[in-house]
Amino acid sequence: MRESGDALVLLLAGGIGSRLNLLVGHRAKPAVPFGGIYRIIDFSLSNVMNSGLTRVGVLTQYKPLSLMAHIGDGSAWDFTGRTRGVKILPPRTGELDSDWYKGTADAIRQNIDFILANPSEQVVVLSGDHIYRMDFDAMLSYHQHKRADITIGMMVVPKSEIHQFGSGIIDNENRIVDWEEKPQVPRTNLASMGIYVFDTPYLLRTLERNRKEVDFGMDIIPRAINEDRVFAYPFYGYWRDVGTVQSYWETNMDIIRENSGISPEEWEIRPNPEYGGRPMDRAPARFLSCSQVSSSLIAAGCVIEGTVINSVLSPGVRVKKGAVISNSVIFEDCVLEEGARVDLAILDKRVQVGSGAVVGHGDNLTEVNKAYPKHLYTGISLVGKEAKIPGGVSIGRNCIVNYSYNEDNFHGKNFLADGDSA
């Protein structure tokens, strides 16, 4: 019987994540806060831990410092000890800029020495920017039962979304017989989750075979389907790619929505409570006599004097008397002064909203953001880290307030999605 610990995990955490806009301006996408006390990568790391896998390489690239600090020595996920560990694997830069990771397969290829230094029967390749729970031990057993060279985690998605994913056509034994990478006219609704199991010798031979093959979905998988044994591993649980502002906001809202399928506590997802030297397990949240809270997640350290509706608040948020937060995601240590209002917005860390100021003013949701029409188009506004919105200022829908903005950056009282004051 196979032991989970025999498999080596390579976790891809280097994508630029540009569709999350200013949320990834100072951090890697997997390091974006999520669900009050977590980071996105906590879900993949916890799934690895809960599956009994003990050796992990995390492949970083863009803005890796916050991610590296968050992972630390891996002790938050029990990855410390003689036979277990987590290692950060940056690109092998130093000779040429082109030595940066060119794709998923190239990233693994550049770390063949790590694979050789950690002998294993199988290699599990994951993405660090998805929200889900999965038992990789069961997937590894399935892979062996099928005598597969490659096994790909796959699930049914709406056909309207299949253009975002690799998609596979399978036979009655779940063997993949054809493949389309991000098809505009799909023939199937079976999407790749970006989760792969490879037999280690097969992976090493494949990576050495043609160094021009830099991506699994575009290059290696289509060829392997024609020549080798490639199977789909069907997944039926909750899984979300939170790569856009809209999907990120919706997935946070799922946490506070009944019967949505997501439950980080039941899934045994672990955060790093000591990240950055500021403990996330602070004193309990305080709800003063004038506070009103409904359908919301309130993390430790929050002080609520005002009203919070249908929102997710990270540790240390202060909502003062008469202030209202609704339909929003608020990061650590933000402050809403008296009478401030925030609706349908995402506030990064340590934002201050002045007395009587409004973020998310108006009900016209058709005015998309002029600079980023594909990022902000449903009314969600973004406020960057450590921005200070002066009292009385009104920010409209689909707006962006950049990092560290303060009263010197505001020359009027009303701001719209095109960035101009009105």
Side-chain angles (χ1 to χ4, degrees):
M1 181 177 178
R2 184 198 56 78
E3 299 218 359
S4 299
D6 290 339
L8 176 67
V9 177
L10 293 177
L11 202 162
L12 300 169
I16 192 168
S18 58
R19 293 178 298 168
L20 284 176
N21 207 282
L22 55 70
L23 299 180
V24 292
H26 295 292
R27 58 172 74 93
K29 178 181 171 183
V32 172
F34 177 84
I37 63 172
Y38 305 99
R39 302 271 177 150
I40 294 173
I41 198 172
D42 293 347
F43 288 77
S44 292
L45 288 172
S46 297
N47 286 331
V48 171
M49 175 194 70
N50 293 331
S51 299
L53 302 169
T54 59
R55 296 174 297 161
V56 186
V58 179
L59 284 65
T60 63
Q61 183 157 277
Y62 298 101
K63 300 181 178 70
L65 295 181
S66 62
L67 181 63
M68 294 165 63
H70 176 68
I71 295 173
D73 65 357
S75 57
W77 302 275
D78 200 24
F79 292 137
T80 55
R82 292 182 61 189
T83 60
R84 58 183 61 223
V86 59
K87 184 174 177 61
I88 304 297
L89 302 171
R92 308 305 172 86
T93 53
E95 296 180 9
L96 298 170
D97 288 344
S98 59
D99 288 339
W100 278 49
Y101 298 147
K102 303 177 186 68
T104 52
D106 182 64
I108 303 301
R109 181 181 291 114
Q110 289 197 39
N111 290 283
I112 284 178
D113 57 346
F114 181 75
I115 298 174
L116 294 174
N118 291 271
S120 63
E121 295 181 7
Q122 285 88 32
V123 173
V124 181
V125 178
L126 309 175
S127 172
D129 50 16
H130 298 151
I131 303 299
Y132 67 112
R133 178 181 66 173
M134 190 170 184
D135 182 0
F136 302 130
D137 183 67
M139 185 176 180
L140 283 159
S141 295
Y142 176 93
H143 173 85
Q144 285 197 330
H145 175 72
K146 291 291 188 180
R147 294 183 293 109
D149 297 304
I150 308 173
T151 299
I152 305 173
M154 305 194 77
M155 68 180 295
V156 172
V157 302
K159 272 201 172 181
S160 60
E161 299 177 10
I162 199 73
H163 67 278
Q164 305 174 57
F165 306 100
S167 63
I169 296 173
I170 60 175
D171 64 15
N172 58 6
E173 294 184 346
N174 286 340
R175 186 166 181 169
I176 302 175
V177 296
D178 203 356
W179 185 265
E180 297 177 306
E181 186 66 16
K182 299 182 178 179
Q184 294 304 308
V185 183
R187 292 183 291 151
T188 177
N189 60 352
L190 189 62
S192 169
M193 302 166 66
I195 297 171
Y196 308 97
V197 174
F198 295 87
D199 272 355
T200 303
Y202 173 85
L203 175 63
L204 294 174
R205 290 196 306 270
T206 298
L207 294 175
E208 292 289 0
R209 175 177 178 170
N210 186 346
R211 301 187 72 84
K212 291 183 179 179
E213 294 182 339
V214 299
D215 190 79
F216 287 128
M218 293 293 293
D219 304 317
I220 288 177
I221 300 301
R223 178 180 56 75
I225 288 170
N226 292 326
E227 302 175 5
D228 306 305
R229 293 177 60 82
V230 183
F231 283 82
Y233 178 74
F235 179 79
Y236 303 102
Y238 186 100
W239 179 87
R240 296 290 184 276
D241 181 343
V242 288
T244 67
V245 171
Q246 183 68 24
S247 63
Y248 174 83
W249 178 85
E250 289 175 352
T251 308
N252 270 278
M253 294 298 104
D254 278 349
I255 290 181
I256 53 179
R257 183 168 60 85
E258 289 188 14
N259 303 316
S260 67
I262 180 174
S263 179
E265 290 187 1
E266 290 184 10
W267 293 358
E268 299 181 340
I269 305 301
R270 287 192 191 180
N272 182 353
E274 299 297 330
Y275 166 72
R278 292 182 59 85
M280 301 296 276
D281 50 347
R282 308 185 191 189
R286 294 170 55 203
F287 301 88
L288 304 188
S289 59
C290 52
S291 66
Q292 298 182 51
V293 177
S294 63
S295 302
S296 296
L297 187 157
I298 311 295
C302 292
V303 179
I304 311 299
E305 297 178 79
T307 300
V308 182
I309 304 168
N310 198 48
S311 296
V312 175
L313 274 57
S314 296
V317 173
R318 181 74 184 265
V319 184
K320 295 189 178 180
K321 188 175 182 180
V324 179
I325 296 175
S326 54
N327 308 304
S328 296
V329 181
I330 313 296
F331 289 7
E332 182 180 342
D333 293 322
C334 290
V335 177
L336 272 70
E337 301 291 349
E338 292 189 6
R341 288 188 292 123
V342 172
D343 178 55
L344 197 58
I346 303 171
L347 274 56
D348 208 324
K349 289 185 177 183
R350 296 186 290 279
V351 167
Q352 295 184 25
V353 184
S355 298
V358 178
V359 178
H361 172 75
D363 55 9
N364 180 9
L365 305 186
T366 61
E367 186 73 15
V368 304
N369 187 278
K370 294 296 191 296
Y372 300 98
K374 293 183 178 180
H375 294 185
L376 297 171
Y377 53 88
T378 62
I380 300 170
S381 291
L382 300 178
V383 181
K385 186 177 180 180
E386 297 179 347
K388 295 179 174 59
I389 299 173
V393 165
S394 181
I395 309 294
R397 306 287 183 181
N398 294 317
C399 289
I400 296 174
V401 177
N402 283 320
Y403 322 99
S404 302
Y405 259 39
N406 56 43
E407 59 185 11
D408 295 333
N409 302 106
F410 293 87
H411 306 293
K413 289 294 184 183
N414 301 299
F415 292 83
L416 307 177
D418 57 7
D420 294 331
S421 58

